[in-house]
Structures are given as C-alpha cells and as structure tokens.
Amino acid sequence: MSDENSLKKALSDWEKGPVAKTINRFPEREEEFKTISGIPVKRLYTPLDTQTVDYLQDLGFPGQYPFTRGVQPTMYRGRFWTMRQYSGFATAKETNERFRFLLDQGQTGLSVAFDLPTQIGYDSDNPMSHGEVGKVGVAIDSLADMEVLFDGIPLNKVSTSMTINAPAAVLLAMYIAVAEKQGVPMEKLRGTIQNDILKEYVARGTYIFPPKPSMRLITDIFKFCSENMPLWNTISISGYHIREAGSTAVQELAFTLANGIAYVKAAIEAGLDVDAFASRLSFFFGSHSDFLEEIAKFRAARRLWARIMRERFGARDDKSCRLRFHTQTAGCTLTAQQPDNNIVRVTLQALQAVLGGTNSLHTNSRDEALALPTEESVQIALRTQQIIAYETGVGDTIDPLAGSYYIESLTNEIEECVMKYIEKIDSMGGAPAAIENGYIQSEIHNSAYQFQTAVDAGQRIVVGVNKFIVPEERTIDYLRVDPHVEEEQVARLKKVRETRDNDRVQETLEALKAGAKGDENLVPLILDAVKAYATLGEICDVLRDVFGEYKSPDIL
Amino acid sequence: MNSSKKIRVLIAKPGLDGHDRGAKVVARALRDAGMEVIYTGLRQTPEMIVESALQEDVDCIGLSILSGAHMALFPRVMELLRKEGANDILVVGGGIIPEDDIPELKKAGIAEIFGPGTPLEDIVEYIRTHVKK
C-alpha cells in the first residue's frame, strides 16, 4: 500500500482537480449527503478511513470474538439463516393451517403472532378484548388453544419463536405443556420468547405490570431456562419496534443494547452467573431502507455487544458475547400506494440483512400497509428469501462486504455514536431510568417527527408516495378475519371453564399468588396453573392483584 | 370560524393497539399548526374517549388504530357521541384501514379516513376547514 502522505496528497489532488471541475459544470444532487439516520456520507472512502481498524482486534474471524464478521465459523456455508415468517390470526385452528402451509412451502421455523388480548393478558371474553380477538394474531386463552395451535407439528423438530412479552412465562409454560403431551421433554425444545418488556414501555405498548415485577418475571425465566431448557432463547431483545416507532439506526442499537445491559444487570443482581444465562440471550432488529447503513449496523451490533459482555460484565465464555439476531424487514417502509413496489423494498431489505449476517429472517408481505397479508403475498415474501439464498450466491462466502472502506468506516462510526448514547443512558441510571423520565420515548418521537416532515417537504423521497405518483384504484385482495371468530373463541373458552377441574385451578392460582408475594421462582407455579387449564387471563389477574399495573406517562 | 379561538383536538388510541407513532406525529403536527391537542395515550375504550372529548370540550376527535378493530370501535364512538348529543364534534380516523371498510365507517359518521402516506398538511387543512364552529 502506498504510504499515508502520498495517499492524502493524491486524494486532495483528485478533489481539487477532476472533482472540482466536474462539480463546477454539474453540481451534485445534494449539498450534503447523509444516511437515513443522519450520518454524513462522504463522496469517497479510501484506506485513510479504515486506518484505525485492527483486523484481529476489531474484525477477527467468524465465530470468534468480537464476532464482527458473524457468530458462526461457517455462517451460511453451513446452513442458511432460519426463514421464519411471523404469522397468526383468528383462532388456533386457522393459524395451525397457516403454519402447516408455511412448513410445506419450505419455511424452516415457526413464529407465532398472538392477538392483542393474549399479549396483554386478557381472556377473549374480557370486555377490553372486544373487537380485538384474533385480529393481529391468534387468540390463546388456555392450554386447550395451544394444543390445537401445534396439532400435528412435531415440537422436537421445529423451532418456534413467540412474540410474547408481559405474559411470556405463561405462553412458555403452555408450550412446555403441549410438548410434554407430544412426548417431547423441555430440555429438547428450541425456540424463543420475546420477553422484552423494556421496549414495550417505549415502543410497542403491550405492557401489563410495572417495571420491577416485570424484571423479576424475566429473571425468573432466565433462571428456570438455564436449569431446564438449554436450547431455549430466553429473550429477544428487540430494536425492531424501536425503529418502527421512528428511531434512527443508531438509536435502534443504542436503546436496544441499553435494554440488554439492564437485563444482564438484573439477572446478575438476582444471583445468576453471567455465563450461565448470557449465551441464551438473542436480539431482533429491523432492516430499514438505507442499504449500506443497515449492513454496517448489523456488524456494529455484534462487535458492540461482544465488548459490552466482556468488558462490562466480565463474561468469560465466548458464547456469552455472541449477538445472535433475528431480522424483520421494516414494516414502516411499506407503502399503501402501488403496493407491488413493496416486493422490491422487501427484497433489498432482506438482502442487506443477509449481507449483515442475520441468523433468522422475516420478510414482510407487499400488502401489509393495507391489511393482513394473503397467502399469495406471504408466499412471495418467503420466495424472496429463498431466491436470495439459493440463486444469488451471497451466502457462499462469509461477510463479503468486510474490508470495504465505507462499510468498515461506517461500522466504526455507528459503534462510536451508539457508545455515546449508552454512556448518556448510563449517566441517567440505565435504561429503566431513561424510560421512566421519558428520555428514550422523546428521542424516538423527535426522530419520527423529523422523518415525516422531511417526507412531507419532499426532502426524503418515498417512491409512489411523494414522487412518481399515479392515480390508482385499490383493488388488492386482502385477508379479512371473520367477525364470528370472537364469538367462537368465547364459546370455546366457556367450554374449557365448564369442563376442567375448577378446584384444581383455584389451588394452583392460590399457590401462584403466594409465590408472587414472596420470592419463589414463578415459572414452575405458572406451569402448574397452565396444566390445570387455568386461563391466561386468570393467571395474569392473579399477578395484577399482587404486582399492580403499569401506567404509561404519555409524552408528546 | 373565530380565529382567536384555537381548535381543540383529542387524539385517541381506541382498543389495545400499541402502535402510536402515527397518532403522536399527527398530534405534534396539529399542535405545530396552532391547535390545542390532547393525547389520550393507549388502551382507551370508546366510553373513555367520549368522556375525555366532552370533558375537554374538543372540536375534533382523531382516532388511530392499526390492529383491525376499527369496525367494532369507531362506530361505537359515534354511537356514544350521538347519545351524548355531541354530534357537532368532527371525527376523523387513521391507521391500517382497508379501503372496503371506509364507506361503512363514513356511514357511521366518521368524516374522513387518512391512510398511510397522507401528508400531515392534508390532515391539518382538513380539520381546519371542517370543524363545525
């Protein structure tokens, strides 16, 4: 390589010479180029921008600390990412059919979407549930529904991800109970519960209990799984919803990792050894529209977490330092206008997730800005992943964009910006405090508002929305949930309540109440209640009585 | 309209849906446009929304929902408003609302539905020209 000074001089000559001359005649499109997150983008990146990168310390090898290049030694040469479409609607029966369809189509893992009453711990017959039953996901009231949901699906073969947070312990218990009925012991179960309450307070909204008892439920799960479920991912610390709520890429990483730090701290304070649980933590990010920024973001995320675990928490096991993550293409970038264009957006976002080394992926369907996706749309979305995997060859070598002057420079820059945010959050007392004082919420909201005003002003182009608009009739076919689903589900629930042993239910709920008041691990108690067919609502009501409910400060 | 009196708007999230990016961005745009905006926060029943609207004496209610429960919850808000004799309040909606549902919502009394991609200025302008004062 030429020496630094001659490179600097040559670069400067180029800028003052040919570049200046060209700009004189043809000005560039913008005065200043920036990523979608506002990071300035230079005209050209050269070895001068990556001089500080120490290959062994900062990049290393796949499967080795600091995991910048990937968490497994062979990455997609061994096995492609898990193709996992988030899916669920109506009752357990309909969702079971959709699951079987997806598995038949070559999907390699399941991802359960629950309806909002389930996510907030209400039974389908609760007045608060009216209108919401079976809408954004499947309605689960008791173990009876869970048995139907996984009917004919061998739980020793598939891995299942469940987007469930406040009542995560209840759904995990139901999953364990169903598997047991299939003859599969819990130590063999593979899958993930989202179980990330902190981002519910700031971005997603399905909280139930206040932060303190919520953190206890989470650490109880960490502990229970570290002893009984070695293959289970106990949490999916999620940036996706933070990004969807309007944050920038840097904020997405900063707030997610700050939440991650809070969970690790809580578990250590609850007496767990960091290396006993940290390897089962997993993450979830969005894949937004700035192609190169997102690739750098994923790489920076891995390096940041590795360093946090080793330097801050003293993790000795390399596995504790691995950031494994699921990605979903960004729902907020889908447009209701010219919806077929969304197929192209999803393709690019999926590709950048793969180039960033994702471990599993959900690709959105083209019609999701309009309604729930049809089977045909879901199939196109899954095919998009399969085309990337089987036709493009991008998975044949690991981390193929490493060494790009721009990608490495941007990876460094994102890491630095994220660390500044984390230091600021530390100085407030950590993520829970920064949520309580509204700092994280208002940072996200400011970014969301700035983005929307930039779109409205035409500074940020969204094809089909503020440029290249055509008059169009919306004729797209979409999935409609039958309005009778609610009645059917309520009738099913009534039958469960009539046919179970209600004395046994009362007994298990009393035991849970006593446990919640004390400091016993709640997971085994919840498992007993679930097996007696206590409903999700009944279990959550017991916990509401003891823990109280969270009231959100509504910050505009 | 008397220009000295500010338009008062209640932005509400009916049902259990937690997606409030749109509601908050619209709330801020209306405020920046000189309106007085009250945001209810999440998980509001139609009863709670109507009660807040009457208590705050608003000229307009903006309902935002992305969970698909709009057909159950939007008409219920209208029904309760009529019962309270508050028919003069302009009610608009937004979120993920399939096109086919819009005629029925309008028949129930929702004045306008603003889908994804609507410029903020359109919403501001609509409310300015349609509040009944």
Side-chain angles (χ1 to χ4, degrees), chain A residues 389-427:
Chain A
Y390 293 97
E391 297 184 9
T392 67
V394 294
D396 295 350
T397 185
I398 303 168
D399 190 26
L401 297 189
S404 146
Y405 305 125
Y406 180 49
I407 288 289
E408 293 301 354
S409 158
L410 190 56
T411 304
N412 288 348
E413 191 158 1
I414 290 174
E415 184 179 14
E416 278 163 34
C417 295
V418 168
M419 278 319 295
K420 275 193 199 125
Y421 254 120
I422 290 179
E423 279 157 22
K424 187 158 188 187
I425 292 167
D426 281 342
S427 74

Side-chain angles (χ1 to χ4, degrees), chain A residues 194 236-241 282-286 325-328:
Chain A
Q194 198 162 75
S236 171
I237 307 165
S238 306
Y240 179 80
H241 317 93
S282 67
F283 288 81
F284 173 23
F285 296 112
F325 69 102
H326 172 70
T327 305
Q328 179 168 342

Side-chain angles (χ1 to χ4, degrees), chain B residues 42-95:
Chain B
L42 303 178
R43 295 191 208 169
Q44 302 289 304
T45 61
E47 287 77 7
M48 290 156 86
I49 292 167
V50 169
E51 199 191 313
S52 306
L54 296 175
Q55 217 166 46
E56 297 286 350
D57 190 25
V58 298
D59 309 299
C60 173
I61 302 175
L63 299 171
S64 163
I65 196 161
L66 287 83
S67 72
H70 49 275
M71 297 307 274
L73 298 174
F74 283 11
R76 178 80 184 133
V77 170
M78 298 313 299
E79 195 187 309
L80 291 168
L81 282 174
R82 261 193 303 278
K83 224 192 240 165
E84 297 288 342
N87 308 23
D88 58 330
I89 298 178
L90 174 74
V91 182
V92 296

Side-chain angles (χ1 to χ4, degrees), chain A residues 116-117 120 122 128-132 135-136 203-207 243-246 332 336-337 368-371 445-446 448-449 451-452 456 465 474 478 480 554-556, chain B residues 14-21 24-25 27-29 31-32 37 39-43 45 65-69 72-73 96-101 116-121:
Chain A
L116 286 165
I120 303 174
Y122 294 124
M128 287 299 286
S129 306
H130 179 57
E132 306 275 12
K135 283 285 165 35
V136 301
R204 195 169 171 276
T206 69
Y207 42 76
R243 190 69 186 276
E244 286 288 296
C332 64
Q337 296 75 15
E368 289 183 65
L370 300 164
H445 178 48
N446 285 337
Y449 192 60
F451 183 82
Q452 188 58 46
D456 285 357
V465 173
R474 306 271 167 75
Y478 61 89
R480 187 179 277 277
D554 288 307
I555 296 146
L556 268 191
Chain B
L16 303 179
D17 176 31
H19 297 89
D20 59 357
R21 174 178 180 169
K24 284 178 164 176
V25 165
R28 182 133 158 206
R31 188 176 284 174
D32 284 358
V37 182
Y39 173 52
T40 62
L42 303 178
R43 295 191 208 169
T45 61
I65 196 161
L66 287 83
S67 72
L73 298 174
I96 304 289
I97 315 272
E99 199 93 331
D100 295 4
D101 291 345
T118 308
L120 294 171
E121 190 48 39

